[in-house]
Structure formats: structure tokens, C-alpha cells
Amino acid sequence: MKYQPGDKILVLLSNEEGEVIEVMDDKMVMIEVNGVRFPTYLDQIDFPYFKRFTEKKLFPNKKLDKLFIDDLPKEKLSISTPATPARMTQSGGGNQQLATGVWLYFLPKFSFDEFNDEVVDSLKIYLVNRTALAYTFFYSQQFLGKINFEHQNDIPAFQDFYLHDIAFEDLNDSPSFHAEFSLAEPQKTKAEYFETSLKLKPRQTFQRIEEMKKKNEPGFSYQLFEEYPDKKAEEDFEVSSLANKGYKIYEAKHIRQNLEPARSVVDLHIEKLVGDWKRLSNFEILTIQLKEFEKWYELAIAHYQSHLTVIHGVGSGKLRDEIHELLKAKREVKNFINQYHPRYGYGATEIAFQY
């Protein structure tokens, strides 16, 4: 949805400004203009920032010589071309479109403060696909390592996708952006998936905004990748020499037959793992427990186990928190939960896997 409750809008027929009160459906919203509320179609309103920008062009003065753009039609998003020569790809109808890769595009939303100075309220974030391929993507945005926003969807070739907004003051919390891509229509020669990330530093972002304003551009962008990668060629290893030296060689299809059996329940209490544990420091104890957890986690995955229960105890919660942080980054984890169990109380986490 292009609009959200609280967005400032312009009624195109009357040239009056108002505010979105409620999103009624995918075609209509409820707006308020001069204290009067009424429904309207989406094509009868627009963001006021583009209008202000065009007015600035017609009537320039020192105070109004600013950039006021909140949203633009998709074809208007200005994506910088990489330094390398761009490739041209053929699109439908014989039109040529410039293929420059996949980008994260940031569109600042401006307002005036009490001193009539221009300030940035927030950044609207778009995923921009300037390639001839369609992708399925999983996107997440974090502040100080904690997830703030997640979204999964498809983006067609040469299309833009609005993701979300972040408050401008939140740039001080080290925002990072992570994305995993896969082809909407898999190709044998292309990689199954591709991961990439971006981290914004406040000072550099402020500089980008100032450069953007000087160049009279609506936003700024960062390239995530130029071309979706090919599948890595599988290397053939000569194993006969290893076998001659006494190494055991297993066929991949029989590998599970030679693995240690998996467990459905793993107890990580230190007294269950080592004998003379009282001489160990807290750091050494935690290291041993996490290494044990990784061992049984990997065995559970290798055996295609559906669930694994990890007993970590209650204590200070340090071991539980470390395990939960590790699980958040594991692709095979469908979900995990730490709730009351009749046998373990709140001292265990149950993990469900997906394959």
C-alpha cells in the first residue's frame, strides 16, 4: 500500500492538503481535509512533496530552494549507474532497458522545524531491481543487532518494491540491512541463493544526503549486486592417494551411516559434560557448553531430525541467550521456543527444523 495512516496528502482536484486517516482497501482511503473526513480513490490524491518541489522550480527563493519529495512513480527513481560499462538487456516490446543490478534506494522525507529550517524526518526504503531477472527475496533490517523489520516477497524484472520507513534519528543506532535472493524461476547454471548486507554509518549517510541535495536528486542508493552469481563449479578431488595413505573414504550418499547417532534431547549442564568443572572459569564453561550444543545441532541436521530439545537450565540466562542468538542465524531452524515444560521447567528450548 502506497499510503499509511498519518501520511500527508494532496487532493489533486482541489489542490488542498490533508491527511490519511484509514486505509479502507487497495483502492480507497479515508482522508481528512480541513476537519472534514471523506473517502477517496488512490488516483485522486498524491503526496504533497512533489508538488512543493515543482513549485520551488517555478518560484525560486533562498528559503524555498529545497528538495521536497516523498514518493515518485517507479520509473522516476534515480539509480546511479556503476562505474563499469552498463549492460543493455532487451525487454518486451523492443524497448531497451539499462541493467545496472539490484539496489537499496533511500528516499528522504523532509519537513520544516520551528525555525523554518529543512530537516529529514525519515527515510523511505525501496528495493530496486534493474536486471532482466525476477527474484524471491527475504529482507531484514536491524538496529544494534536486533531485528526491526522483516519481509519476504517477489520482485519482477525492472521493478521497484517499497519496503518500509526508518526514522532519521535511528541512523545513530547503526542500522544494517540484510537480504537473501533466489531466482523466481531457478536456472541450472545460477546459484541457488545469494546473500548480501549493507550497514549505514551516520556520518556517511549525512554526507550522501548533502550530495543528493546539491545534485538536485530525490534520493540516494547502494548497490547490493550487479549480476546474480553463477553456480560454483563442483571440484573433483582425487581420493585414491588418500585411501592409499589409510584414510577412510565414504560416499556422500552413505555418509549418515557413518555418523554418530543424533539425540532428541541434549543436556548442557556442565556437570554432565566434564568431571572437574569447578576449576573452570565462567567463560570456559560457556565455551564448552556451546561447543557441545553445536555438535548435537549439526548431528540433528545431518540426520534430518525434525526436533531437538536443548536443556540449558535457568541460571543467569547467558547460555540460553547465546543459543537463541545462534538459532536466529540458522537457515534450517523453522522456529524455537522456550516455554514451561513439565520435566525441565523453563530451562529448555525446543527447536523445530525445516528441510
Side-chain angles (χ1 to χ4, degrees):
M1 171 58 69
K2 180 179 180 180
Y3 301 99
Q4 300 175 3
D7 283 349
K8 302 298 182 183
I9 53 88
L10 177 74
V11 181
L12 299 179
L13 293 178
S14 64
N15 208 33
E16 295 177 298
E17 293 191 17
E19 181 178 333
V20 175
I21 303 301
E22 178 186 354
V23 177
M24 302 177 67
D25 53 36
D26 59 352
K27 296 182 179 180
M28 297 189 69
V29 294
M30 180 71 70
I31 65 173
E32 180 176 305
V33 178
N34 297 327
V36 179
R37 297 188 178 187
F38 55 91
T40 183
Y41 287 100
L42 299 184
D43 59 1
Q44 296 178 357
I45 60 175
D46 201 352
F47 288 106
Y49 307 99
F50 185 68
K51 171 180 175 290
R52 293 176 186 171
F53 176 66
T54 55
E55 287 178 346
K56 181 267 293 187
K57 290 292 187 182
L58 295 175
F59 307 101
N61 78 27
K62 187 174 182 180
K63 232 1 172 181
L64 293 178
D65 195 15
K66 304 290 184 180
L67 184 61
F68 294 93
I69 298 182
D70 181 65
D71 196 7
L72 293 172
K74 292 180 179 179
E75 64 273 11
K76 295 293 186 180
L77 289 183
S78 175
I79 301 300
S80 303
T81 304
T84 55
R87 299 175 306 281
M88 298 298 292
T89 56
Q90 187 74 24
S91 64
N95 296 324
Q96 297 284 343
Q97 295 200 46
L98 187 64
T100 61
V102 174
W103 305 72
L104 269 187
Y105 187 87
F106 297 86
L107 195 70
K109 181 177 178 180
F110 292 92
S111 67
F112 283 118
D113 63 12
E114 62 270 24
F115 303 105
N116 208 28
D117 291 328
E118 185 184 59
V119 295
V120 179
D121 287 332
S122 60
L123 295 174
K124 301 181 79 68
I125 305 173
Y126 294 81
L127 182 66
V128 177
N129 181 10
R130 290 291 180 268
T131 74
L133 298 173
Y135 305 100
T136 296
F137 69 89
F138 177 79
Y139 165 88
S140 68
Q141 186 267 311
Q142 301 179 8
F143 289 120
L144 300 175
K146 295 185 178 180
I147 294 177
N148 174 63
F149 178 84
E150 290 182 322
H151 188 72
Q152 183 172 356
N153 215 311
D154 294 333
I155 182 169
F158 295 105
Q159 295 292 322
D160 312 326
F161 191 98
Y162 168 71
L163 293 167
H164 65 123
D165 291 11
I166 60 172
F168 189 66
E169 59 266 24
D170 288 340
L171 289 177
N172 293 316
D173 293 333
S174 302
S176 59
F177 308 85
H178 307 266
E180 179 182 307
F181 296 89
S182 59
L183 293 180
E185 297 183 3
Q187 299 180 18
K188 291 182 179 180
T189 59
K190 294 294 184 180
E192 292 184 9
Y193 67 94
F194 174 74
E195 294 182 77
T196 184
S197 61
L198 167 70
K199 187 172 183 179
L200 290 187
K201 295 182 179 180
R203 184 175 180 180
Q204 294 177 350
T205 305
F206 301 153
Q207 291 175 346
R208 289 296 300 270
I209 292 176
E210 290 304 313
E211 293 172 1
M212 172 202 82
K213 292 162 67 176
K214 289 179 181 178
K215 295 178 181 179
N216 204 25
E217 295 176 344
F220 58 95
S221 57
Y222 291 91
Q223 189 181 64
L224 298 179
F225 63 88
E226 184 175 357
E227 185 176 1
Y228 190 81
D230 293 330
K231 181 181 293 184
K232 292 184 178 179
E234 297 183 1
E235 298 182 15
D236 294 327
F237 293 96
E238 178 56 50
V239 298
S240 58
S241 60
L242 296 176
N244 294 334
K245 293 179 180 179
Y247 290 97
K248 292 184 178 181
I249 308 299
Y250 301 106
E251 292 185 37
K253 62 182 179 180
H254 299 144
I255 191 65
R256 278 191 290 167
Q257 300 176 10
N258 304 289
L259 289 175
E260 184 177 351
R263 294 181 182 178
S264 58
V265 179
V266 177
D267 192 343
L268 297 181
H269 282 94
I270 192 62
E271 61 270 19
K272 302 284 187 179
L273 306 180
V274 295
D276 189 15
W277 60 271
K278 292 185 179 180
R279 62 180 178 79
L280 301 175
S281 67
N282 290 337
F283 176 77
E284 290 172 326
I285 290 175
L286 181 62
T287 301
I288 292 172
Q289 290 172 317
L290 291 176
K291 184 176 180 180
E292 188 75 5
F293 162 73
E294 290 281 7
K295 169 189 173 182
W296 294 108
Y297 177 91
E298 294 298 336
L299 280 171
I301 297 301
H303 286 279
Y304 294 97
Q305 200 165 282
S306 61
H307 290 79
L308 175 64
T309 299
V310 180
I311 304 173
H312 44 64
V314 181
S316 65
K318 180 64 175 175
L319 177 59
R320 177 202 61 205
D321 293 344
E322 290 288 339
I323 290 175
H324 287 186
E325 285 301 313
L326 290 172
L327 293 176
K328 290 177 183 178
K330 301 287 189 181
R331 290 171 50 83
E332 308 86 2
V333 174
K334 181 179 181 181
N335 56 61
F336 62 90
I337 187 169
N338 174 216
Q339 63 182 1
Y340 179 80
H341 189 282
R343 290 182 60 188
Y344 317 121
Y346 289 99
T349 293
E350 184 176 1
I351 308 164
F353 298 107
Q354 58 184 1
Y355 302 102

